[in-house]
Amino acid sequence: MSNEPSLDMSKIPKHIAIIMDGNGRWAKERNLPRALGHKAGVEAIRKIVKECDRLGVKYLTLYAFSTENWNRPIKEVDSLMKLLVEYLKKEVEELNVNDVVVNSIGNISKLPLICREELNNAYEKTKNNKGLILNLALNYGGRSEIVDAVKEISSDLINKKISKDQINEELISKYMYTSKMPDPDLIIRPSGELRLSNFLLWQGAYSELWFSDINWPDFHEKQLQSAIMDYQKRDRRFGKVK
Ligand code: FPP
């Protein structure tokens, strides 16, 4: 795919995070079962990972399963877990060849064993790569991430590993699942919903937000490029005046 003329390659966001929403509605519009909406969502993942890699995005975080998604019918939860395993099994070789690191954030310990094994396998295979870092948010919730961080900070305080005076924003960031990455520059949500849904609450403090009406399975390279083009026009002041 050729570059859009107005995409400034020197101002590509370093970290893009996406709330992949609208799979169910995409399926409903076609009289298909919801599981097929998620399957189509995986195709969109393939395209967007490749495009982010091509554009030189360094981190791509995808909201694949939230802490609240356990409340969906068991059949749907199972189909999402199966899709995750299938995706990792099928894609890891190509991701590896493309120098992508497959990472995850969230409370992975609660995922089925097969998912943990495949995630671990993908990470071990790709951890030394130098290209795009693909961050799958699984059993992820922004509030529970903050709760986990507070627990760890308290225990490090009690064990005198840190002192109260050391607690500041920088230190708290180090206790987040995303400790080794920059905050997202751009958070994208397709499907017409205008909310964050517990995604990257700490890290998204100064992220630029981009919404679109189309459902995730229809989110292709062109939509990503539009989001980045809009991002490039934003005036990021981080609360300061210029
Ligand atoms: C939201 O759409 C989407 C999800 C809860 C799951 C996203 C998962 C995938 C795209 C596939 C599995 C993941 C990987 C990494 C292979 P929705 O079901 O809430 O849509 P709706 O709001 O239209 O019902």
Side-chain angles (χ1 to χ4, degrees):
M1 175 171 284
S2 66
N3 286 342
E4 288 284 334
S6 40
L7 202 58
D8 179 348
M9 295 306 283
S10 70
K11 273 174 67 184
I12 296 293
K14 212 178 200 169
H15 185 172
I16 297 180
I18 307 181
I19 301 172
M20 305 184 290
D21 198 11
N23 296 346
R25 276 161 284 173
W26 183 93
K28 197 172 175 201
E29 282 165 11
R30 290 161 179 79
N31 279 320
L32 295 170
R34 291 178 60 83
L36 287 187
H38 295 311
K39 196 162 180 243
V42 176
E43 291 310 314
I45 293 179
R46 287 199 178 96
K47 291 193 179 106
I48 295 306
V49 168
K50 272 200 187 130
E51 185 63 0
C52 281
D53 194 26
R54 188 184 76 83
L55 293 173
V57 173
K58 185 64 195 165
Y59 301 87
L60 172 65
T61 300
L62 299 177
Y63 205 4
F65 195 85
S66 75
T67 44
E68 289 71 35
N69 286 156
W70 294 110
N71 299 320
R72 294 190 174 203
I74 179 80
K75 226 176 111 195
E76 182 167 347
V77 170
D78 279 353
S79 78
L80 284 167
M81 296 300 156
K82 277 197 189 116
L83 279 175
L84 171 67
V85 170
E86 253 177 57
Y87 171 77
L88 292 169
K89 277 192 172 153
K90 249 191 187 163
E91 297 292 308
V92 71
E93 290 308 334
E94 196 184 334
L95 290 167
N96 194 27
V97 168
N98 290 328
D99 217 15
V100 174
V101 178
V102 182
N103 190 39
S104 56
I105 56 167
N107 188 350
I108 303 302
S109 68
K110 297 281 185 293
L111 296 182
L113 179 64
I114 177 81
C115 295
R116 282 181 277 139
E117 282 174 352
E118 286 305 327
L119 281 167
N120 197 40
N121 172 42
Y123 177 69
E124 285 303 320
K125 239 183 209 153
T126 60
K127 66 181 179 192
N128 295 321
N129 288 343
K130 297 282 175 277
L132 173 76
I133 295 170
L134 171 61
N135 231 347
L136 301 174
L138 292 157
N139 192 22
Y140 175 87
R143 286 186 170 183
S144 75
E145 177 181 32
I146 294 170
V147 170
D148 284 350
V150 170
K151 283 185 184 160
E152 270 191 63
I153 292 172
S154 321
S155 108
D156 284 353
L157 257 181
I158 293 166
N159 296 321
K160 304 214 178 331
K161 283 193 189 157
I162 54 168
S163 69
K164 189 178 150 206
D165 293 344
Q166 279 176 286
I167 300 177
N168 56 23
E169 293 181 14
E170 201 187 326
L171 179 127
I172 293 176
S173 292
K174 289 196 180 122
Y175 282 79
M176 294 290 165
Y177 305 142
T178 50
S179 60
K180 293 186 187 78
M181 48 193 100
D183 289 339
D185 300 295
L186 174 62
I187 297 180
I188 294 174
R189 182 169 195 158
S191 92
E193 309 293 355
L194 306 177
R195 55 178 173 267
L196 283 177
S197 298
N198 207 9
F199 190 45
L200 300 174
L201 298 183
W202 173 266
Q203 300 85 341
Y206 278 101
S207 303
E208 295 298 326
L209 307 180
W210 194 84
F211 299 100
S212 134
D213 281 340
I214 69 155
N215 292 320
W216 173 248
D218 290 328
F219 193 96
H220 299 153
E221 295 87 344
K222 197 168 143 278
Q223 281 74 30
L224 181 75
Q225 290 174 6
S226 298
I228 297 177
M229 261 184 267
D230 275 358
Y231 163 85
Q232 293 181 337
K233 290 184 206 134
R234 306 269 177 100
D235 179 18
R236 301 189 79 193
R237 293 189 300 280
F238 300 94
K240 298 174 203 149
V241 280
K242 279 206 172 143

